[in-house]
Amino acid sequence: MTLTLPTPDTPLKIGTRGSPLALAQAYETRERLSAAFGLSENCFDIVVIKVTGDAIQDRPLKEIGGKGLFTREIEEDLLSGKIDIAVHSMKDMPTVQPDGLILDTYLPREDVRDAFVSPALTAVADLAPGAVVGTSSLRRKAQLLNRRPDLNVVEFRGNVQTRLKKLHDGVAECTFLATAGLNRLAMEDVPATPISPDDMLPAVAQGAIGIERRTNDENTAEILAAIHHMETGQRLAAERRFLLTLDGSCETPIAGLAELEGGQLRLRGEVLRPDGSQAVTGERMGAIAEGSTMGQELAEELLSRAGPGFFDWHGS
């Protein structure tokens, strides 16, 4: 197959949400593609697509449809040919793609940790009893209430800038953001303290950027292969299989992290009741090539240990 590269007259169209973080991720993708092939950036068009999840800010995601709200319109434009690739935050991605689309290219993963964000404090332990904490994440809420059931957790939707404004306005004493997002936006002035995964295991695929394409677009597949980061792909294979086996969605307090250590893969997982009253954790260590199998087995173990009725959404 002869590779056809984009030109200024026939640019590769990169679809993305319009938030500052989503745009930063799209720009990084464009920069990596430009560098890989020695092309000017005007060989790539950034196409901003409005998605339902960004338009609705006053209700929790679980009430309006979950993770697909951040991808549906983008994937429709990808399938129709309006765009050639779509750039996503992997922690927002459903574990199954629509027919005709595939997600198999990942950029090098950023910092996976959550960040504790407060103008005056640096850790959850510093919060006074009954303190108001803002987060839109069911996982973070469940983890916080599991460790500190005295806290008052309030809904905190919106992009990074919106959440920081709410914090500044005194809606809550602290909030939580992904360290990766702060790094990608170069927001060194934000009063953020990274939290060790030992204290707060992050969301599955946190810090990773994925690039989606049409399954039958072999030319684009070959172009994307030049910027694919194999290690990130290996880690996400384990994490996303773990999530898939748990039927993960925005209604599901699930955390998971795969790390490569000494030629092996270490996978840690956690499932929680939404109110934080119970958490079940576990881990696996094994061959990197077995990451997907490890993800499934760890998920099955945690579900077995949790028992029937642990999650309302699980239909028990």
Side-chain angles (χ1 to χ4, degrees):
M1 172 183 158
T2 301
L3 185 63
T4 303
L5 293 174
T7 69
D9 293 329
T10 57
L12 185 84
K13 294 182 174 61
I14 303 172
T16 178
R17 293 162 60 189
S19 72
L21 179 55
L23 288 170
Q25 295 177 162
Y27 296 148
E28 179 179 342
T29 302
R30 181 177 65 184
E31 289 163 8
R32 289 182 180 276
L33 287 168
S34 297
F37 294 99
L39 298 173
S40 64
E41 290 190 351
N42 61 0
C43 293
F44 306 91
D45 274 354
I46 305 291
V47 181
V48 175
I49 300 165
K50 292 182 179 179
V51 299
T52 304
D54 288 333
I56 303 173
Q57 297 292 330
D58 59 346
R59 282 177 285 162
L61 292 179
K62 64 177 181 177
E63 294 180 6
I64 53 177
K67 291 187 178 186
L69 293 167
F70 293 112
T71 60
R72 187 179 306 129
E73 289 87 352
I74 294 174
E75 289 177 330
E76 288 171 355
D77 283 359
L78 185 55
L79 283 167
S80 73
K82 291 181 181 178
I83 57 174
D84 300 302
I85 62 174
V87 179
H88 302 285
S89 290
M90 284 305 301
K91 73 172 184 174
D92 291 335
M93 291 302 289
T95 49
V96 178
Q97 273 54 65
D99 289 342
L101 299 181
I102 188 170
L103 188 56
D104 62 357
T105 303
Y106 305 107
L107 302 188
R109 195 171 190 175
E110 245 284 1
D111 195 323
V112 302
R113 294 174 295 178
D114 287 304
F116 178 90
V117 182
S118 170
L121 307 173
T122 59
V124 173
D126 297 338
L127 292 165
V132 177
V133 175
T135 180
S136 61
S137 163
L138 276 184
R139 170 190 62 87
R140 289 173 179 146
K141 177 180 179 180
Q143 289 173 321
L144 286 165
L145 291 175
N146 180 257
R147 281 71 157 174
R148 289 283 306 272
D150 62 283
L151 295 176
N152 179 17
V153 183
V154 298
E155 183 70 19
F156 234 47
R157 287 276 327 276
N159 61 31
V160 173
Q161 289 76 9
T162 301
R163 288 187 239 181
L164 290 172
K165 184 180 186 303
K166 289 180 179 179
L167 197 62
H168 179 76
D169 291 344
V171 177
E173 290 189 44
C174 73
T175 189
F176 298 83
L177 297 168
T179 301
L182 296 173
N183 290 347
R184 288 194 172 110
L185 291 169
M187 300 181 75
E188 296 92 351
D189 56 333
V190 173
T193 307
I195 305 170
S196 168
D198 295 336
D199 296 324
M200 181 178 273
L201 200 64
V204 164
Q206 185 155 299
I209 296 172
I211 304 172
E212 193 175 23
R213 62 174 172 86
R214 290 182 292 278
T215 308
N216 62 3
D217 189 347
E218 295 180 6
N219 191 74
T220 296
E222 193 168 339
I223 290 173
L224 292 178
I227 62 169
H228 174 62
H229 189 248
M230 184 174 66
E231 178 181 310
T232 299
Q234 292 168 332
R235 295 170 66 186
L236 263 57
E239 292 178 30
R240 281 174 60 78
R241 183 63 176 273
F242 172 73
L243 187 64
L244 174 64
T245 307
L246 288 168
D247 189 29
S249 69
C250 278
E251 297 180 51
T252 314
I254 295 172
L257 177 63
E259 297 165 293
L260 303 187
E261 300 178 359
Q264 288 197 304
L265 185 142
R266 179 194 184 196
L267 175 65
R268 287 180 280 173
E270 180 179 36
V271 293
L272 305 101
R273 285 190 183 274
D275 63 2
S277 60
Q278 187 179 356
V280 184
T281 64
E283 73 172 81
R284 287 280 195 284
M285 179 77 83
I288 294 171
E290 298 299 315
S292 180
T293 300
M294 290 164 55
Q296 178 175 340
E297 291 177 349
L298 180 58
E300 290 171 347
E301 176 200 323
L302 297 191
L303 280 175
S304 174
R305 286 169 48 201
F310 185 83
F311 288 128
D312 293 339
W313 55 262
H314 216 59
S316 303

